[in-house]
Amino acid sequence: MTNASVAVAASPVIEPARAFDLWGDEVRRVCGTLQVIGDRDRFGAGTIATRVFGAMRVSRITADPHAVVRHDRVASNEGGHVYVVTLLNGTARLCQDGTDITVRTGDLVAFDSSRPYTLAMPQPFTMVGVRAPHRSLGMTPQKTSSITAAPWNGKTGVGALASHTFAALGYHLAELDDAAREPLGTTVSGMITTLFAERLCSAVVDPAAARQLLVLRICGYAQEHMGDSALSPAMLARRHNISLRYLQVLFAEQGSSPARWIRDQRLERLRTDLVNPRYDHLTVSAIAERWGLVDASQVSRLFRMKYGVSPREYRRTRGETAGLSPLSPLGRVAPGWR
């Protein structure tokens, strides 16, 4: 395993007020622009361990009581992601979209950082959070309010499976080989899709919820078959017994098209693999073909349009683009972490 794949930061052992300030800096660095609120004179410690699995980013957070607030102006300016959080110990209170939810140990909850929210932990806690791009799930910020209204019970059904999966992933971040990142990313994405599909199923009488559920299922299927060069909008339409035109309408509601979504997901998989030492022996073309991208000249052009550099240039500068810090002992900030 490459320890550089896991980034760990912990508040140093110093006076509480200074420790709280440093903790706030780390929270903002990992999670974006947030107001961090807490008792500066009593805060003792906090640790964040983070690892990327494909398009998913998994973080294990342990800290003393505090709260984080995402304000309206910041949320609209920065955009955001969908977060799914499971509490390993402690409780949390989430306020978003007019709801006020209490989340207990073992349960899960979703929120969207593109809209204002408050997440408060009134006692020492440990949580595992999974951050997912809207597009990877076939969603837009405007479509996620239907899945942020209530927690999932972590003791039964899909909620229990997801809670145990995310907890195990969080506890074993530093033990997983880099080769496991790609398949685990697909597994995590599929688990989130399943959670959201279950939530939307309860609202199938709502036509909008039914369409969103279908999009989730289509995107979940596509994520599992992204390496199949035959994957196409026509294939997805046939697989889900709908017309190609209706498939295009569904994706248009998400602000995209099925062809563009597939292309962007494949380019993202290519980008991830280009900085993975496991594939150093493969050419850029060979890596692209793993994800169904078979036209080398077109791949280079599309990659440059999306990321601003060619695949080869991106690969050469992977030390800068990977941006991952070395594993540090608990209680210290990793060298070069800031």
Side-chain angles (χ1 to χ4, degrees):
M1 196 206 81
T2 306
N3 279 346
S5 296
V6 183
V8 176
S11 57
V13 182
I14 54 177
E15 65 274 14
R18 179 59 177 155
F20 184 77
D21 291 341
L22 292 174
W23 176 249
D25 291 342
E26 292 302 338
V27 170
R28 285 184 285 270
R29 193 196 66 76
V30 173
C31 303
T33 304
L34 295 168
Q35 180 183 7
V36 182
I37 303 171
D39 189 337
R40 299 179 72 252
D41 296 325
R42 299 183 65 182
F43 185 86
T47 303
I48 304 177
T50 302
R51 195 167 190 186
V52 175
F53 297 87
M56 308 291 118
R57 192 185 70 187
V58 179
S59 300
R60 185 186 70 248
I61 305 170
T62 298
D64 285 337
H66 68 281
V68 295
V69 181
R70 180 85 159 169
H71 293 290
D72 191 5
R73 178 178 57 81
V74 172
S76 59
N77 289 342
E78 284 191 2
H81 298 78
V82 180
Y83 284 82
V84 180
V85 169
T86 183
L87 276 172
L88 306 187
N89 62 67
T91 62
R93 182 178 176 185
L94 172 67
C95 301
Q96 185 170 55
D97 298 329
T99 64
D100 192 333
I101 302 163
T102 297
V103 188
R104 307 190 185 281
T105 298
D107 293 346
L108 304 99
V109 70
F111 57 93
D112 192 321
S113 66
S114 64
R115 300 192 298 278
Y117 69 86
T118 298
L119 183 64
M121 287 65 65
Q123 59 195 85
F125 70 94
T126 298
M127 66 171 59
V128 174
V130 181
R131 190 188 79 175
H134 293 99
R135 292 299 177 111
S136 69
L137 302 172
M139 306 187 83
T140 65
Q142 295 75 26
K143 301 288 185 179
T144 60
S145 58
S146 57
I147 53 92
T148 60
W152 285 268
N153 187 327
K155 297 181 177 62
T156 61
V158 175
L161 291 174
S163 179
H164 291 316
T165 299
F166 296 161
L169 194 58
Y171 275 127
H172 299 286
L173 281 181
E175 302 166 20
L176 299 170
D177 190 275
D178 281 343
R181 288 203 290 167
E182 177 191 305
L184 283 174
T186 301
T187 298
V188 172
S189 177
M191 187 65 72
I192 292 175
T193 298
T194 303
L195 275 174
F196 291 178
E198 181 192 54
R199 175 64 47 80
L200 291 168
C201 273
S202 63
V204 291
V205 293
D206 179 356
R211 291 195 301 274
Q212 185 64 64
L213 176 59
L214 180 55
V215 171
L216 276 172
R217 288 172 172 165
I218 291 170
C219 290
Y221 176 86
Q223 291 284 13
E224 292 177 2
H225 296 82
M226 203 59 67
D228 184 351
S229 61
L231 180 68
S232 68
M235 174 187 174
L236 289 176
R238 288 194 302 271
R239 175 66 177 75
H240 292 85
N241 299 311
I242 59 176
S243 69
L244 179 58
R245 174 58 185 156
Y246 187 55
L247 180 70
Q248 292 168 337
V249 169
L250 290 174
F251 273 80
E253 291 180 352
Q254 316 304 320
S256 186
S257 72
R260 184 165 70 231
W261 184 85
I262 292 171
R263 181 198 67 199
D264 287 347
Q265 294 301 308
R266 283 173 163 162
L267 288 173
E268 178 61 24
R269 303 277 183 107
L270 169 60
R271 185 192 68 81
T272 300
D273 284 354
L274 287 174
V275 295
N276 189 339
R278 179 189 180 197
Y279 302 115
D280 280 353
H281 66 289
L282 296 178
T283 65
V284 171
S285 295
I287 297 175
E289 288 177 6
R290 294 185 69 239
W291 300 116
L293 298 166
V294 295
D295 186 331
S297 60
Q298 184 183 45
V299 168
S300 182
R301 179 178 62 82
L302 292 174
F303 194 95
R304 184 182 291 275
M305 287 174 58
K306 186 170 179 64
Y307 299 111
V309 295
S310 71
R312 288 181 175 80
E313 290 169 331
Y314 188 85
R315 194 179 207 181
R316 279 198 299 269
T317 59
R318 70 181 180 195
E320 301 171 15
T321 56
L324 294 170
S325 303
L327 188 67
S328 71
L330 190 65
R332 300 180 184 174
V333 177
W337 175 254
R338 295 189 181 281

